[in-house]
Amino acid sequence: MGAPSTVDLELAIDAMLARVRNVANSGLDGFPHHGDTRTGRWTTTPNGFWTGGFWVGELWLAAAYSSDHWFGAKAEEWLAKLDGRVHSDTVFRGFLFYYSAVTGAELFGSDRARELAIDCAQSLAATFDETARILPLGSTAEEAHTVGASEANVDGLTASPLLLWASRETGDDELARVAIEHAYRTADYCVLADASVIQSASFDPNNGNLIRRYTHKGYADDSVWTRAQAWAMLGYTLCAGFRSDEKRLLDLAERTTDWWLDHVPSDGVAYWDFSAPVTPQTMRDTSGTAIAAAAMLKLARLVDDEQKRKRYENAARLSVDALVSDYLTPAGSTDGVPAGILTKGCFDPKSGTAIDSELIWGDYFLLESLGVLTGRLKTLI
Ligand code: GLY
């Protein structure tokens, strides 16, 4: 795919798989969330928060890349721990069950994974707000404690691909209707005319009209927080992959991606917010960059135009090469730092949480992208 990389991507996969194995064997007391990049120690969450599905997803990827059933058994074991989250009142169940369950169903035909993904999709669809035409954040969403009931968030877009997948599996058109309406309403609220993305919005519960846009984790209410842009790119690309008849989905995927490419630094690694002043102290966000790379590799397969395909592929490769050569801890280091850690993830500068860390979703999307670029990942997830 594209021009050959000068960075050894196979070696990077080996390092990441070794780390996944070590972490899985380390007696974790919960789902890995953010990690210390010197010791490799994870801060965990007991119930998976919105991030636990990425750990299960990494285990599925490790099983697929290595053909080692041990990883698959671990994935099933961790998936079972998410059982109680199927009906959690948060739109971020989209993250949890797309990556833990759809991934397991698609890569390994796991019956339990299929069942959980469908149950969660049906449960999410039941929360659809027919007035505002969106899946609400939910009372236990990560950000919902700081906002009221009439709020939306582009991070919640991943619910749509979960519902579209479940609709395809079950033939239930209602799931697809909700998924598409949620995706378009999220765009109305969060995607601006130039295709930059603002993380969050308040709406009038009586008619769904937009009241204001703002951010939870970004630099300012009108700033383009890196992961807002990246989640939009990924969400619309995944949706477009399920529904080629809905042209607006592909258009949103392309336009949000083109905005990213027009603004990302020339080394392909984004700062944590596109609107934050850049100084030598400004943090990068490797996790947002990894999401964007994974999204572009998928988008490259959806576009007909050869030039666009190459543009997205080459941009993804540039970012992945940079992440591997400049941010992934190498094998054989003498300072005791474990290999295979994606450093410089920036979780939440506003609260000062994990701003220079390993982040489980950054690891997931880098590992996924490496699988696509090396041909080890055969199925488009
Ligand atoms: N809430 C999703 C994120 O922090 O990226």
Side-chain angles (χ1 to χ4, degrees):
M1 184 183 276
S5 173
T6 54
V7 178
D8 192 336
L9 303 184
E10 294 286 351
L11 211 60
I13 291 184
D14 291 346
M16 293 192 80
L17 294 198
R19 174 142 176 82
V20 173
R21 186 185 295 280
N22 289 339
V23 172
N25 273 328
S26 68
L28 284 167
D29 61 357
F31 290 84
H33 175 36
H34 56 83
D36 184 306
T37 57
R38 286 167 304 280
T39 63
R41 207 164 300 128
W42 284 99
T43 296
T44 59
T45 61
N47 70 353
F49 192 38
W50 60 269
T51 56
F54 294 109
W55 169 236
V56 187
E58 265 210 283
L59 290 163
W60 288 126
L61 291 182
Y65 298 179
S66 66
S67 304
D68 183 342
H69 297 308
W70 183 87
F71 285 116
K74 284 282 167 198
E76 294 277 7
E77 204 179 287
W78 280 93
L79 176 67
K81 297 180 203 278
L82 290 176
D83 250 43
R85 295 297 310 280
V86 166
H87 302 292
S88 293
D89 186 20
T90 162
V91 73
F92 299 137
R93 277 176 287 167
F95 285 132
L96 273 182
F97 287 95
Y98 193 85
Y99 288 98
S100 67
V102 171
T103 300
E106 286 294 304
L107 294 183
F108 290 98
S110 161
D111 289 338
R112 187 63 189 136
R114 181 176 185 278
E115 203 178 335
L116 283 172
I118 291 170
D119 284 355
C120 182
Q122 288 168 339
S123 172
L124 263 170
T127 70
F128 188 65
D129 178 338
E130 293 288 353
T131 303
R133 318 203 77 70
I134 197 157
L135 294 166
L137 272 183
S139 60
T140 63
E142 177 192 15
E143 342 260 33
H145 62 288
T146 56
V147 296
S150 312
E151 309 297 322
N153 190 321
V154 72
D155 319 16
L157 184 56
T158 316
S160 287
L162 175 67
L163 268 63
L164 288 171
W165 179 86
S167 170
R168 196 184 67 190
E169 288 294 300
T170 59
D172 181 348
D173 293 339
E174 177 62 7
L175 294 175
R177 177 190 73 88
V178 167
I180 291 168
E181 290 216 34
H182 176 66
Y184 289 154
R185 198 53 153 170
T186 301
D188 296 341
Y189 289 157
C190 298
V191 182
L192 304 190
D194 68 351
S196 61
V197 181
I198 306 292
Q199 185 187 6
S200 305
S202 306
F203 57 85
D204 182 339
N206 298 312
N207 51 27
N209 290 348
L210 176 71
I211 294 174
R212 67 171 182 136
R213 296 189 173 98
Y214 64 103
T215 188
H216 282 95
K217 292 208 185 88
Y219 175 72
D221 282 346
D222 59 353
S223 75
V224 182
W225 176 53
T226 289
R227 289 207 300 283
Q229 194 73 31
W231 289 131
M233 291 161 63
L234 180 71
Y236 290 116
T237 300
L238 284 169
C239 287
F242 284 105
R243 291 297 294 260
S244 56
D245 57 322
E246 288 287 335
K247 299 293 176 211
R248 190 178 165 206
L249 293 171
L250 185 61
D251 180 62
L252 282 161
E254 286 188 39
R255 290 194 308 109
T256 51
T257 302
D258 292 341
W259 190 96
W260 173 282
L261 291 179
D262 290 344
H263 293 83
V264 72
S266 57
D267 64 1
V269 181
Y271 291 96
W272 71 281
D273 188 302
F274 283 96
S275 316
V278 175
T279 71
Q281 283 71 45
T282 307
M283 301 302 298
R284 302 279 185 153
D285 181 14
T286 57
S287 78
T289 304
I291 297 164
M296 289 189 283
L297 289 171
K298 288 183 226 301
L299 183 55
R301 295 184 183 190
L302 297 180
V303 292
D304 292 332
D305 183 276
E306 185 61 11
Q307 270 189 331
K308 283 186 188 175
R309 185 183 66 73
K310 283 211 172 99
R311 181 168 189 246
Y312 297 141
E313 251 174 41
N314 291 342
R317 170 154 276 170
L318 175 78
S319 292
V320 169
D321 281 358
L323 292 178
V324 167
S325 53
D326 299 339
Y327 297 93
L328 191 70
T329 56
S333 81
T334 51
D335 54 9
V337 175
I341 294 176
L342 181 60
T343 64
K344 302 285 175 198
C346 186
F347 175 47
D348 188 359
K350 279 199 163 180
S351 69
T353 310
I355 60 171
D356 183 1
S357 294
E358 181 178 23
L359 299 172
I360 192 65
W361 61 94
D363 286 353
Y364 174 87
F365 287 109
L366 177 58
L367 191 57
E368 186 193 285
S369 300
L370 287 168
V372 176
L373 288 169
T374 56
R376 285 213 221 180
L377 183 60
K378 312 276 183 232
T379 308
L380 195 68
I381 306 166

